[in-house]
Amino acid sequence: MYVPEHFSAPDLESMHALIRANPMGALITNGARGLDANHIPFELEPGDEGKTILHAHVARKNPVWQDVKDGDEVLVVFRAGDAYISPSWYPSKHELHKQVPTWNYVVVHAHGKIAIKDDERYVRGVVARLTRTHEANEAKPWKMTDSAPEYIDTLLQAIVGIQIEVTHFVGKNKLSQNKDRRDIESAGRIVAERGGDVIGDAMMACARAKPQ
């Protein structure tokens, strides 16, 4: 991914935060069947010595887990949001007539090496942790023990675990940082008013942080 310096994600912590807030990733592989992309939720685990691990699972009928080998390089793309930006939203456009349309977005690419975990204990742990995380805000969180054990056991046999040891992250926050403060703020406010809170709010935060 091409990342001009002024669009680069600020730090590793911010990229981890994006993944936790947007865990639905696109797993991109280049296995025996060629390029493939699977959209699955991931659990992020900061590991020892700064290593980061991504955990997930796929349906046993999904050929991806047989299409790749342990140690193969893969890419997972996490996206926080995106928004079209009209040049008309920049005050300077109406004065200088030197603006063009663009598209803003916030993404993180996690590059790493995959390992297949066809192991009931591993899969049970991944499902339990994902469930706890995403049920946490429910008035009465669903738990695996809410279902009959034999039913859960049958479902777990139908999925396969995936573990990715991340070798490096690449983050891009394209939020019009290369524009004047007033242009960023104006366009960000319009994006937010039209329902794009993630990108609009991030743009306005960039505007506040930029010197006058």
Side-chain angles (χ1 to χ4, degrees):
M1 177 170 61
Y2 170 59
V3 186
E5 185 176 351
H6 50 272
F7 291 151
S8 63
D11 50 44
L12 181 61
E13 184 178 348
S14 71
M15 290 188 280
H16 279 188
L18 183 147
I19 293 171
R20 289 192 177 98
N22 305 274
M24 188 69 174
L27 169 63
I28 299 168
T29 57
N30 189 13
R33 300 168 185 257
L35 284 170
D36 192 14
N38 284 270
H39 301 266
I40 51 180
F42 284 86
E43 174 201 17
L44 182 145
E45 176 195 358
D48 296 334
E49 301 179 355
K51 292 181 180 178
T52 302
I53 307 296
L54 294 171
H55 302 280
H57 61 81
V58 296
R60 185 172 292 278
K61 291 184 178 180
N62 186 334
V64 66
W65 69 275
Q66 295 173 311
D67 194 38
V68 296
K69 304 184 301 295
D70 284 359
D72 280 357
E73 293 186 358
V74 298
L75 169 66
V76 187
V77 178
F78 297 94
R79 172 182 162 277
D82 65 272
Y84 171 76
I85 307 296
S86 169
S88 299
W89 300 346
Y90 297 134
S92 66
K93 179 267 181 189
H94 305 283
E95 300 167 4
L96 305 174
H97 304 287
K98 292 184 178 180
Q99 298 288 358
V100 295
T102 192
W103 210 287
N104 282 352
Y105 52 92
V106 177
V107 296
V108 168
H109 289 188
H111 298 254
K113 298 189 177 193
I114 196 168
I116 303 305
K117 299 289 186 179
D118 192 7
D119 174 82
E120 191 271 346
R121 182 177 178 182
Y122 177 89
V123 170
R124 185 179 292 271
V126 171
V127 173
R129 292 190 300 273
L130 284 172
T131 299
R132 282 197 300 271
T133 297
H134 300 294
E135 286 283 327
N137 293 327
E138 297 298 317
K140 188 177 180 182
W142 182 88
K143 305 181 298 297
M144 291 175 70
T145 53
D146 289 345
S147 295
E150 59 272 17
Y151 174 72
I152 295 296
D153 290 346
T154 299
L155 292 181
L156 291 177
Q157 291 170 12
I159 58 179
V160 176
I162 286 177
Q163 177 178 290
I164 298 169
E165 181 177 325
V166 180
T167 54
H168 65 284
F169 290 97
V170 180
K172 187 172 183 178
N173 297 355
K174 185 175 179 295
L175 299 166
S176 299
Q177 297 98 314
N178 55 330
K179 305 295 183 182
D180 292 340
R181 179 175 179 174
R182 61 174 181 156
D183 286 339
I184 305 171
E185 184 174 29
S186 174
R189 184 180 300 110
I190 292 171
V191 170
E193 289 172 352
R194 297 188 177 194
D197 291 347
V198 171
I199 298 299
D201 290 350
M203 289 177 67
M204 288 189 283
C206 282
R208 290 191 294 271
K210 191 164 189 172
Q212 292 278 14

